[in-house]
Amino acid sequence: GLGFGIANGELATAAIIYAALPPMSIYPILAARYGFQNVAAPALFLSTCASFFTLSILIWFLMGGV
């Protein structure tokens, strides 16, 4: 495969959780340059709210909840 393997299981778990985080908060500021701040701000808000549930489920799953 492409990329490097991660030998440490805890590091792999941290990488998965980090990848599942919502986008950075500067997203609406960057979108404002192109006139999309009115779309980007609510999208960021909704993705942050949804991540509360999805991250909770992901962490539960990664910690052996299933």
Side-chain angles (χ1 to χ4, degrees):
L2 297 174
F4 299 99
I6 300 175
N8 186 346
E10 291 178 355
L11 186 58
T13 300
I16 292 170
I17 292 171
Y18 185 73
L21 292 175
M24 60 184 171
S25 61
I26 197 170
Y27 178 66
I29 296 169
L30 296 174
R33 180 175 181 182
Y34 301 101
F36 291 108
Q37 67 273 12
N38 293 335
V39 176
L44 178 65
F45 176 74
L46 290 175
S47 68
T48 303
C49 290
S51 72
F52 174 77
F53 300 103
T54 58
L55 282 175
S56 297
I57 292 167
L58 178 65
I59 292 169
W60 175 73
F61 179 75
L62 290 173
M63 297 302 166
V66 176

